[in-house]
């Protein structure tokens, strides 16, 4: 029994020795990193901030959650009218997998879009009547018709689009950009997430999470209430002076813990407490739209005056971009139109079209579009065949990962361009297929980041947003 007790004591002493000495080594390394980069985390492979000259300083990502129908918005297929209600040819489907929602259908009738298309801009791009405001900025945007993805269902698809993996747990794009480039404004988060819309697919916090990166790089979700960030206001009975004294005492305790344990997450905790304190002043001023001009509200629409709407979030995104926030992610829910698509897509287009175009015009007017990269994208596309019952005025569309349309603007992307093509049924890509990893690699390139070099070691290997894939799509660059 005595021998067992001595052995246990020796094990405890060994653990204590290793913990204390590891903390010393860790603190030495941490001090060096803090001196060199101002960040309590492993040094990155980016030299002097960038791998090469950047065209964009920031990204505004307009995520249309639920997957908008490319056939009813951007991918004009006039010949489909003569195939309307006929069966999708086997030569087009090619035995490709279906979701569980339509796999049991005995018939796959083609549903031509019931919406009118017209040509717009100097490029003569065909666009749907559902997007009259976006049509006016046709020469500013680059429409990509040949996106495709690995996932066939919403959650893995939107996770893949945002993190480069269909499996949850990886860092989001905004977190990678925060990790690689850091902040331009010490009083605001580097990465902000905004949500709007109702119904459809749920939005999980992990979509703006930092995964295995230091938690200081996770996105801060702004809420729709008068207090945009949770616990931003002081509790009743606590004034600013008391709050400052409390944080000073808490910071001292955390510093003592950091000296003992050498855990970089403690340093992150210290910096985030300080950021939260500064945000008590910066965020209320940021979220106060009352000083915006009547011309601005005319541009974005009346709903921009209502906190939490897509229009208000687009205006807030411009204000965040002005203040140096690196990555601004807007999610708008409701685009999942398996049934009653004509009615529902009209509503969603009405909710988003004007404010989306207004954001581009506003950025351009302020001289910010050149160095702000804007992305408009859903997680996949929609099938040409009808899901459910089709009538003269109604049809639905199932998930379609084989091809979908997105657009990008500003920040080094080529304006007015159309990239990629699909077949006559918008079912298969016929020209310039563009995988998600290539899109993400190109976004990083615009920011001056070599996607192959921005890495983080986790569980014995180096990870990156594009994993082992991705090539920069140079034809998209201006």
């Amino acid at each position: 029994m005595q021998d067992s007790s001595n052995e246990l004591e020796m094990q405890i002493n060994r653990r204590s020795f290793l913990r204390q000495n590891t903390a010393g080594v860790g603190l030495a390394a941490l001090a060096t990193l803090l001196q060199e980069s101002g960040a309590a985390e492993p040094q990155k492979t980016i030299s002097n901030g960038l791998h090469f000259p950047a065209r964009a300083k920031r990204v505004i990502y307009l995520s249309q959650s639920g997957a908008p129908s490319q056939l009813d918005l951007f991918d004009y297929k006039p010949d489909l009218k003569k195939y309307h209600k006929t069966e999708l040819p086997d030569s087009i489907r090619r035995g490709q997998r279906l979701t569980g929602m339509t796999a049991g259908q005995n018939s796959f009738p083609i549903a031509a879009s019931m919406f009118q298309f017209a040509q717009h801009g100097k490029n003569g791009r065909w666009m749907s009547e559902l997007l009259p405001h976006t049509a006016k900025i046709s020469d500013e945007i680059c429409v990509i018709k040949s996106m495709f993805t690995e996932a066939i269902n919403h959650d893995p698809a939107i996770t893949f689009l945002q993190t480069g993996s269909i499996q949850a747990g990886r860092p989001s794009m905004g977190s990678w950009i925060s990790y690689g480039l850091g902040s331009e404004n010490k009083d605001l988060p580097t990465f902000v997430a905004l949500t709007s819309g109702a119904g459809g697919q749920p939005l999980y916090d992990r979509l703006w999470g930092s995964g295995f990166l230091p938690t200081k790089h996770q996105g801060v979700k702004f809420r729709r209430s008068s207090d945009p960030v949770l616990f931003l206001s002081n509790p009743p009975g606590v004034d600013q002076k008391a709050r400052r004294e409390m944080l000073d005492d808490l910071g001292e305790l955390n510093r003592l813990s950091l000296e003992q344990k050498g855990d970089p997450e403690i340093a992150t905790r210290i910096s985030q407490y300080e950021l939260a304190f500064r945000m008590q002043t910066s965020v209320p001023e940021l979220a106060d739209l009352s000083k915006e001009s009547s011309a601005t509200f005319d541009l974005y629409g009346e709903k921009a005056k209502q906190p939490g709407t897509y229009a208000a979030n687009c205006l807030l995104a411009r204000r965040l971009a002005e203040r140096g926030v690196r990555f601004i992610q807007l999610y708008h829910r409701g685009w999942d139109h398996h049934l009653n698509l004509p009615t529902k897509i009209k509503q969603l287009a009405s909710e988003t079209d004007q404010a989306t175009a207004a954001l581009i015009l506003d950025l351009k007017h302020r001289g910010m579009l050149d160095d702000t990269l804007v992305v408009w994208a859903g997680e996949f596309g929609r099938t040409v065949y009808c899901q459910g019952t089709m009538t003269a005025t109604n049809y639905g569309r199932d998930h379609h990962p084989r091809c979908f349309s997105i657009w990008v603007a500003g920040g080094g992307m080529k304006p007015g361009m159309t990239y990629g093509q699909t077949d006559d049924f918008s079912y298969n890509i016929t020209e310039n297929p563009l995988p998600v990893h290539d899109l993400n690699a190109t976004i990083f390139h615009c920011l001056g980041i070599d996607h192959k070099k921005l890495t983080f070691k986790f569980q014995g290997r180096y990870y990156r947003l594009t994993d082992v894939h991705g090539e920069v799509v140079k034809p998209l660059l201006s």
Side-chain angles (χ1 to χ4, degrees):
M1 189 69 178
Q2 183 68 34
D3 290 343
S4 298
S5 176
N6 289 340
E7 183 178 351
L8 178 61
E9 184 178 354
M10 289 175 64
Q11 289 175 355
I12 293 173
N13 288 338
R14 280 198 297 267
R15 283 198 294 270
S16 177
F17 172 80
L18 289 171
R19 182 175 64 249
Q20 292 172 4
N21 283 274
T22 301
V25 174
L27 281 172
L30 179 64
T32 303
L33 291 172
L34 286 169
Q35 184 177 4
E36 293 179 356
S37 64
E41 59 193 55
Q43 189 166 4
K44 298 174 275 291
T45 53
I46 293 183
S47 175
N48 297 322
L50 301 173
H51 293 121
F52 36 77
R55 292 292 305 275
K57 293 181 179 179
R58 66 197 72 87
V59 176
I60 300 175
Y61 204 119
L62 308 175
S63 181
Q64 311 303 315
S65 174
S69 168
Q70 77 281 3
L71 283 153
D72 297 281
L73 297 177
F74 296 106
D75 204 3
Y76 181 44
K77 301 297 179 184
D79 291 342
L80 282 182
K81 286 183 170 54
K82 64 184 179 184
Y83 298 114
H84 189 61
K85 292 188 178 181
T86 66
E87 287 294 309
L88 178 67
D90 290 340
S91 60
I92 299 299
R93 182 181 157 195
R94 302 175 190 172
Q96 294 165 10
R97 62 179 176 165
L98 304 172
T99 72
M101 291 165 284
T102 53
Q105 287 188 188
N106 295 322
S107 178
F108 297 93
I110 291 168
S113 177
M114 65 177 291
F115 300 105
Q116 298 298 313
F117 281 69
Q119 290 179 285
H120 297 274
K122 296 177 183 177
N123 53 30
R125 176 182 288 125
W126 290 93
M127 295 184 68
S128 170
E129 63 179 314
L130 292 170
L131 301 174
H133 295 279
T134 305
K136 293 176 183 178
I137 60 166
S138 180
D139 290 333
E140 302 294 341
I141 65 177
C142 171
V143 174
I144 301 168
K145 294 184 177 181
S146 54
M147 285 296 303
F148 69 94
T149 183
E150 297 176 6
I152 199 170
N153 287 317
H154 293 285
D155 185 46
I158 199 166
T159 302
F160 183 50
L161 194 68
Q162 298 301 324
T163 71
S165 173
I166 62 174
Q167 296 179 333
R170 299 283 183 88
S172 59
M173 181 188 295
S175 295
W176 279 113
I177 290 171
S178 171
Y179 168 63
L181 299 181
S183 176
E184 286 191 311
N185 187 331
K186 66 181 179 62
D187 297 330
L188 287 171
T190 311
F191 173 18
V192 170
L194 305 165
T195 63
S196 58
Q201 299 303 312
L203 295 172
Y204 302 103
D205 285 3
R206 58 178 165 75
L207 292 174
W208 46 90
S210 57
F212 46 70
L213 291 178
T215 53
K216 66 180 288 186
H217 300 298
Q218 69 185 13
V220 174
K221 180 185 176 184
F222 278 23
R223 304 186 305 156
R224 307 181 190 188
S225 68
S226 58
D227 212 357
V229 179
L230 203 59
F231 307 123
L232 189 65
S233 299
N234 290 325
V238 178
D239 60 18
Q240 198 75 346
K241 182 175 181 293
R243 180 80 161 195
R244 180 67 267 171
E245 291 174 350
M246 181 194 73
L247 287 177
D248 289 342
D249 292 342
L250 185 61
E252 185 59 31
L253 290 172
N254 276 322
R255 277 185 283 275
L256 290 171
S257 181
L258 180 62
E259 290 175 5
Q260 292 173 356
K261 300 177 183 178
D263 183 357
E265 279 298 299
I266 299 173
T268 292
R269 197 178 306 145
I270 295 170
S271 67
Q272 293 303 85
Y273 274 127
E274 291 301 319
L275 173 61
F277 182 76
R278 296 193 298 271
M279 284 167 59
Q280 288 188 314
T281 300
S282 63
V283 169
E285 183 276 331
L286 163 74
D288 181 8
L289 305 182
S290 63
K291 295 181 181 178
E292 292 287 347
S293 68
S294 58
T296 297
F297 288 114
D298 288 342
L299 182 64
Y300 283 86
E302 280 298 305
K303 287 189 176 180
K305 297 178 181 179
Q306 303 173 22
T309 62
Y310 180 81
N313 285 350
C314 282
L315 179 52
L316 191 56
R318 187 265 288 164
R319 292 170 65 87
L320 286 162
E322 282 182 310
R323 289 158 176 77
V325 175
R326 287 284 190 189
F327 195 88
I328 305 137
Q329 181 92 51
L330 276 67
Y331 289 94
H332 190 69
R333 296 167 61 191
W335 288 98
D336 191 18
H337 301 151
H338 291 272
L339 304 171
N340 302 317
L341 182 144
T343 299
K344 292 179 178 179
I345 200 170
K346 279 183 184 178
Q347 177 186 342
L348 267 291
S350 175
E351 290 173 5
T352 59
D353 176 48
Q354 181 176 352
T356 297
L359 176 61
I360 299 298
L361 293 171
D362 200 4
L363 290 171
K364 185 175 182 181
H365 174 73
R366 295 167 187 272
M368 296 175 60
L369 187 58
D370 285 345
D371 60 9
T372 304
L373 174 55
V374 182
V375 183
W376 185 101
E379 61 266 36
F380 42 60
R382 291 281 162 181
T383 56
V384 66
Y385 61 78
C386 176
Q387 178 179 350
T389 303
M390 182 165 59
T391 69
T393 59
N394 196 12
Y395 52 86
R397 301 191 190 279
D398 199 3
H399 308 167
H400 190 60
R402 299 292 298 178
C403 64
F404 61 105
S405 299
I406 72 166
W407 60 257
V408 293
M413 296 291 190
K414 191 173 292 183
M417 178 186 182
T418 297
Y419 184 85
Q421 294 294 338
T422 61
D423 61 23
D424 292 340
F425 300 85
S426 191
Y427 205 90
N428 298 294
I429 296 169
T430 59
E431 180 183 310
N432 295 326
L434 202 158
V436 169
H437 289 305
D438 286 9
L439 173 67
N440 291 344
T442 307
I443 291 172
F444 270 25
H445 180 88
C446 291
L447 291 163
I449 300 172
D450 184 338
H451 71 104
K452 296 180 180 178
K453 293 182 179 179
L454 181 59
T455 63
F456 190 91
K457 192 174 184 180
F458 176 67
Q459 292 184 341
R461 84 167 176 97
Y462 287 93
Y463 285 85
R464 64 182 203 237
L465 175 65
T466 51
D467 198 34
V468 296
H469 310 280
E471 296 295 335
V472 174
V473 187
K474 293 184 179 180
L476 293 178
L477 304 176
S478 60

